[in-house]
Each structure stands twice: as structure tokens, then as C-alpha cells.
Amino acid sequence: METNKHNNYHNQKSSSSSSQHGLLLIVIPDFEAPLGDTCSSLHQALGLVDRLTIVVSVRAPNTIPYNGSRATAASFHSVQKVLSALYVSFTKQAVALGRPLAELDIVIRESCGYDVGAGGVGDEIPFDVFLGLPPAIKELEKLNERRIQNGAKGLAIQTLDEAKAHATGETHNPLVQAIDSVLPYSNVQEGQYGDVALGGTFDHLHAGHKILLSMTAWISSHRVVCGVT
């Protein structure tokens, strides 16, 4: 019965609404993989939702489903490069569409500590629709099944057009040329430090702050302390 109910959600067309918050699942084999189609698909996602959370899952498509495990070993540089590519690409496309204030958050699925979008313990982000390119759809279907098991409502799944994304042809490499791969911190590993502190002065929370906070959390295994001015 639950399976039939779940199947009704698949590929329902979500209506464009300024109040919608979408979860875009990106499945990559590792942090060095090309992100061309992924960056280009953000334009489609921006046409469907006002706010977007990108969930990056580090595993090859059509392999073992997500089970809450941590990501495979990756360097600080490679993770920062992916986050920067996605944030910069999103910002560029949002500005081009006349939506410079569009909100984006990025979560690394195997590192965040909870099952994002499943509606279970720790998952308090309200989503309205799931989005993904074809390689991610089966995993989104499984995510909907877990939502239903957790007592949450299954969500519509919107399949993005892979051909349109590929035709756009934007790749992530030119977006992150300023990131120096030989800096000393580049070889830091996930969870290498227990407690990590950072500080800064700001007037609004922008993509650069989000990358800084994400990378700080990524290298910490216990606690992050933020000093804010």
C-alpha cells in the first residue's frame, strides 16, 4: 500500500511557487568528478523553486543505496572546490535570472550526521519537492520511501532535463581557478580536528561564509565555535 502511494509522487509536476523549497540531490562518484551537467541543471531548479538545498551524495550511481555512512576519504581542497563551484554557479545563474537573493544551502550527505530529507530524527528542514537529474531519481524514490516510513508525507519528484543541462555546457573548473591546491591546509582530512574555532565580521550571510562554515564543520569531529562581529 505504501509503495503504491509512493509511486503516485514520482514525476508529479511541481508548480512554480515563490514559497517552494526544493531538495536537489546530486550523486557523484568522488569530489574530483566533473560537475558540468550539475552546475547547468541549477538553472532549471531555479525555475521551479525559490529556495534550494543541494544534497551532495558521494557514491557512484546505481550502487549501494545511502545508509548513513560517512563519505570516502577526500582532501580539503577537493571538497572546497565542489562547494565553491556549486555556490558560484548558483549565484551567477540567480543574478542572470534577476533573483540575486535566491537562497542556496549545500549539504554533504555522508558527512552531515542525519538523513537529509527523510523526515526523521534531526531532519527539521521543510521541503516541498525533490529535484534531480535522471541518475539521482532512484535514490530520491528511496528517500521518499524513508519519509513515509518515518511518518512524513512523500514529496513530488521533479526529473530535470539532462539534455538541457548538458547543452548549457557550463563546467565548474573555470569557476574555482582561484583556489590554490598547494596551500598547506589543502591536505587536511575530514574530522581531523576535534574542536575548531573561527571568527569574522559580516553584514549578511553570503556564499563565502557558507563555504567557510561548511569546511570548518567538515574538518571538525566534535565541536565548532564561531565568534561573530
Side-chain angles (χ1 to χ4, degrees), residues 2 29 39 44 59 67 75 87 97 112-114 119 123 155 165 194 223:
E2 287 185 348
C39 287
Q44 295 181 60
R59 57 189 62 253
N67 61 3
S75 70
Y87 273 118
L97 289 171
C112 70
Y114 67 98
D123 181 30
L155 300 180
R223 180 177 60 174

Short mmCIF file of all heavy atoms in Angstrom, two decimals, residues 2 29 39 44 59 67 75 87 97 112-114 119 123 155 165 194 223:
data_model
loop_
_atom_site.label_atom_id
_atom_site.label_comp_id
_atom_site.label_asym_id
_atom_site.label_seq_id
_atom_site.Cartn_x
_atom_site.Cartn_y
_atom_site.Cartn_z
N GLU A 2 1.89 1.26 0.85
CA GLU A 2 2.79 2.40 0.91
C GLU A 2 3.53 2.57 -0.40
O GLU A 2 3.79 3.68 -0.84
CB GLU A 2 3.77 2.23 2.07
CG GLU A 2 3.12 2.44 3.43
CD GLU A 2 4.14 2.39 4.54
OE1 GLU A 2 5.27 1.98 4.27
OE2 GLU A 2 3.80 2.75 5.67
N PRO A 29 30.65 10.25 -8.02
CA PRO A 29 31.50 9.15 -7.55
C PRO A 29 32.58 9.60 -6.58
O PRO A 29 33.01 8.84 -5.72
CB PRO A 29 32.09 8.58 -8.84
CG PRO A 29 32.05 9.73 -9.80
CD PRO A 29 30.82 10.51 -9.46
N CYS A 39 26.13 21.75 -12.56
CA CYS A 39 26.10 23.21 -12.49
C CYS A 39 25.04 23.76 -13.44
O CYS A 39 24.31 24.69 -13.10
CB CYS A 39 27.48 23.78 -12.84
SG CYS A 39 28.72 23.55 -11.55
N GLN A 44 17.57 25.14 -14.27
CA GLN A 44 16.24 24.52 -14.25
C GLN A 44 15.64 24.54 -12.84
O GLN A 44 14.46 24.82 -12.66
CB GLN A 44 16.33 23.07 -14.73
CG GLN A 44 16.75 22.91 -16.19
CD GLN A 44 16.79 21.46 -16.59
OE1 GLN A 44 15.79 20.75 -16.52
NE2 GLN A 44 17.96 20.98 -17.00
N ARG A 59 28.82 8.87 -4.11
CA ARG A 59 28.79 7.45 -4.44
C ARG A 59 28.38 7.32 -5.89
O ARG A 59 27.66 8.15 -6.43
CB ARG A 59 27.82 6.67 -3.55
CG ARG A 59 26.40 7.18 -3.58
CD ARG A 59 25.56 6.50 -2.52
NE ARG A 59 26.08 6.80 -1.19
CZ ARG A 59 26.73 5.91 -0.44
NH1 ARG A 59 26.93 4.68 -0.88
NH2 ARG A 59 27.17 6.24 0.74
N ASN A 67 23.19 4.69 3.28
CA ASN A 67 22.85 4.03 4.54
C ASN A 67 23.36 4.78 5.76
O ASN A 67 23.49 4.24 6.84
CB ASN A 67 23.44 2.60 4.55
CG ASN A 67 24.96 2.59 4.44
OD1 ASN A 67 25.58 3.65 4.41
ND2 ASN A 67 25.54 1.41 4.38
N SER A 75 40.18 15.21 0.04
CA SER A 75 41.01 16.28 0.54
C SER A 75 40.19 17.54 0.80
O SER A 75 39.11 17.73 0.21
CB SER A 75 42.12 16.61 -0.46
OG SER A 75 41.58 17.23 -1.62
N TYR A 87 28.21 26.92 -5.38
CA TYR A 87 27.75 28.21 -4.89
C TYR A 87 27.95 29.31 -5.93
O TYR A 87 27.06 30.14 -6.16
CB TYR A 87 28.47 28.59 -3.59
CG TYR A 87 27.83 28.05 -2.34
CD1 TYR A 87 28.52 27.17 -1.51
CD2 TYR A 87 26.55 28.42 -1.97
CE1 TYR A 87 27.94 26.67 -0.34
CE2 TYR A 87 25.96 27.94 -0.81
CZ TYR A 87 26.66 27.06 0.00
OH TYR A 87 26.09 26.57 1.14
N LEU A 97 18.99 35.54 -13.78
CA LEU A 97 17.53 35.41 -13.82
C LEU A 97 16.83 36.53 -13.07
O LEU A 97 15.62 36.52 -12.92
CB LEU A 97 17.12 34.06 -13.21
CG LEU A 97 17.44 32.83 -14.05
CD1 LEU A 97 17.20 31.55 -13.25
CD2 LEU A 97 16.60 32.81 -15.33
N CYS A 112 26.95 14.82 7.07
CA CYS A 112 26.16 15.75 7.87
C CYS A 112 25.62 15.15 9.17
O CYS A 112 25.22 15.88 10.06
CB CYS A 112 25.01 16.31 7.05
SG CYS A 112 23.72 15.11 6.68
N GLY A 113 25.56 13.82 9.28
CA GLY A 113 25.14 13.20 10.53
C GLY A 113 23.68 12.84 10.61
O GLY A 113 23.23 12.31 11.63
N TYR A 114 22.90 13.14 9.59
CA TYR A 114 21.49 12.74 9.59
C TYR A 114 21.04 12.54 8.15
O TYR A 114 21.72 12.94 7.21
CB TYR A 114 20.61 13.77 10.30
CG TYR A 114 20.51 15.11 9.60
CD1 TYR A 114 19.42 15.41 8.78
CD2 TYR A 114 21.49 16.09 9.77
CE1 TYR A 114 19.33 16.63 8.14
CE2 TYR A 114 21.39 17.31 9.14
CZ TYR A 114 20.32 17.58 8.33
OH TYR A 114 20.22 18.79 7.70
N GLY A 119 12.76 13.17 6.80
CA GLY A 119 11.71 13.48 7.76
C GLY A 119 11.84 12.77 9.08
O GLY A 119 10.88 12.71 9.85
N ASP A 123 16.10 15.72 11.14
CA ASP A 123 15.79 16.32 9.84
C ASP A 123 14.61 17.27 9.99
O ASP A 123 13.45 16.87 9.89
CB ASP A 123 15.47 15.23 8.81
CG ASP A 123 15.17 15.80 7.43
OD1 ASP A 123 15.72 16.87 7.11
OD2 ASP A 123 14.38 15.18 6.70
N LEU A 155 7.01 13.40 -1.11
CA LEU A 155 7.05 14.62 -1.90
C LEU A 155 7.08 14.31 -3.40
O LEU A 155 7.52 13.23 -3.81
CB LEU A 155 8.28 15.45 -1.53
CG LEU A 155 8.38 15.91 -0.07
CD1 LEU A 155 9.64 16.73 0.13
CD2 LEU A 155 7.15 16.73 0.32
N ALA A 165 20.65 20.35 -19.57
CA ALA A 165 21.80 20.65 -18.70
C ALA A 165 23.10 20.47 -19.46
O ALA A 165 24.01 21.29 -19.38
CB ALA A 165 21.78 19.73 -17.48
N GLY A 194 39.33 17.90 16.58
CA GLY A 194 38.18 17.77 17.47
C GLY A 194 37.38 19.04 17.56
O GLY A 194 36.23 19.11 17.13
N ARG A 223 33.27 19.71 17.81
CA ARG A 223 32.61 20.98 18.06
C ARG A 223 33.19 22.11 17.23
O ARG A 223 34.39 22.16 16.96
CB ARG A 223 32.75 21.34 19.56
CG ARG A 223 32.09 22.65 19.96
CD ARG A 223 32.19 22.92 21.45
NE ARG A 223 33.59 23.00 21.88
CZ ARG A 223 33.98 23.34 23.11
NH1 ARG A 223 33.06 23.56 24.03
NH2 ARG A 223 35.26 23.40 23.42
#
